[in-house]
Amino acid sequence: MRKVRRELNIDWIHNKGIRGKNIGVAVLDSGISEHPDFENRIKAFKDFVGRERKMYDDEGHGTHVTGIIAGSGNISKGIMTGIAPEADIISIRVLDKKGIGKEENVINGIKWIIDNGRRYGIRVVNISFGTLKKNESDNNKLTEMVELLWDLGYVVVAAAGNSGPGPSSISTPGDSKKIITVGADNDNVRMMFNGKMVYNYSGRGPTKQCIQKPDIVAPANGIYSCCNLWRKNYFYVQKSGTSMSTPIVSGIICLMLSVNPKLTNVQCKKIIKETANDLNMDKNRQGWGEVSAQKAIEKANASLLWNTF
């Protein structure tokens, strides 16, 4: 995380006291462990897989993703500090111990957010998983529910997936035209995903609906974050993929909202777009470009001061 923070100038933002305080982020994933870096900021845990009440994460993906967004870095003395280390965490378990999820459980998780979002101050929803459609009718209900979340005002951020480099390889629900879809800024490396060695993995557009995707890219390779096995003294673990780039963008949006809580999801998306750094790649590879945390925060702050929206 220190490398990511340095690349995106996150510490400059933190040093100004902008750390995501009082912004709730819902993480739909494999659950969460009670890692010390989450302190007392886990406001709710809901399990749609094992129906357990006590929080847990027997896969580790959800803990890692959440750490990227909101880990305090206390155990590492700040080295592994996440993007928005004071944000409130709402963990919703929809993936099992193998990282596999059922559409029904994801939809139920979204319904829970709709019913409880205001209670827990949820503003951002992170979805670091997806599935590929085989035909137009696949996963339509999931897309509809994700877009309903967006229509209700939530900033929904989803992964482009790791099924690139072919066209139309954006996963669902990342292929939704409304939400913010995140790819990897650099996938020109060999990575192991699901037991297979892949290359140029980040999902690419256009979608099957001829929509340009992803919207934005962010660092994705070799990112260290919180480990679910911390009780065995494995406090942090390294992972790669668009699952890791997605929470970076979610965390930056938490920072933007902590600067200007009145921003709508549409305004957040507009700021992310207008402040992106063009990487001079094909638009269906990079979208608007690489996310620029500092410029996004400055623009969010300016919109508060000058009422530009």
Side-chain angles (χ1 to χ4, degrees), residues 154-287:
Y154 296 95
V155 186
V156 184
V157 188
N162 304 323
S163 298
S168 301
S169 54
I170 300 287
S171 59
T172 303
D175 56 356
S176 163
K177 64 181 179 181
K178 292 186 177 184
I179 69 175
I180 299 172
T181 306
V182 186
D185 64 350
N186 174 26
D187 65 353
N188 192 29
V189 292
R190 292 193 179 278
M191 290 288 176
M192 183 69 74
F193 291 115
N194 299 323
K196 296 180 180 179
M197 189 65 72
V198 298
Y199 190 70
N200 290 335
Y201 59 83
S202 189
R204 285 137 161 90
T207 69
K208 289 182 171 58
Q209 294 76 34
C210 296
I211 299 166
Q212 179 183 298
K213 284 282 180 174
D215 299 300
I216 197 80
V217 294
N221 302 322
I223 296 177
Y224 282 91
S225 182
C226 298
C227 181
N228 63 322
L229 302 177
W230 64 272
R231 288 186 176 86
K232 297 181 180 180
N233 293 323
Y234 297 102
F235 290 100
Y236 303 98
V237 66
Q238 183 187 68
K239 294 181 184 291
S240 300
T242 60
S243 284
M244 284 63 255
S245 56
T246 302
I248 290 172
V249 175
S250 291
I252 290 170
I253 291 171
C254 287
L255 297 177
M256 291 164 54
L257 289 169
S258 68
V259 167
N260 185 355
K262 293 184 179 181
L263 288 174
T264 67
N265 54 1
V266 174
Q267 290 169 344
C268 287
K269 187 174 182 179
K270 182 180 179 182
I271 289 174
I272 290 292
K273 174 183 179 179
E274 293 178 347
T275 58
N277 294 320
D278 191 349
L279 299 178
N280 296 313
M281 297 178 180
D282 183 270
K283 296 301 182 183
N284 281 302
R285 165 66 184 87
Q286 69 155 36

Side-chain angles (χ1 to χ4, degrees), residues 79-145:
I79 294 174
M80 300 297 177
T81 301
I83 304 298
E86 293 183 7
D88 292 334
I89 299 163
I90 297 87
S91 176
I92 303 168
R93 187 170 191 260
V94 295
L95 305 181
D96 65 18
K97 62 183 179 181
K98 295 182 179 180
I100 298 172
K102 295 179 180 179
E103 183 182 41
E104 178 185 2
N105 290 339
V106 179
I107 289 172
N108 286 335
I110 292 172
K111 289 179 179 178
W112 186 91
I113 293 173
I114 292 171
D115 291 340
N116 297 276
R118 186 179 296 274
R119 175 183 178 185
Y120 293 108
I122 298 172
R123 299 293 307 276
V124 182
V125 179
N126 189 93
I127 304 176
S128 283
F129 59 86
T131 182
L132 289 179
K133 287 184 176 181
K134 295 181 179 178
N135 55 63
E136 284 298 310
S137 62
D138 282 352
N139 310 116
N140 279 349
K141 183 64 176 177
L142 175 57
T143 301
E144 289 172 6
M145 291 301 295

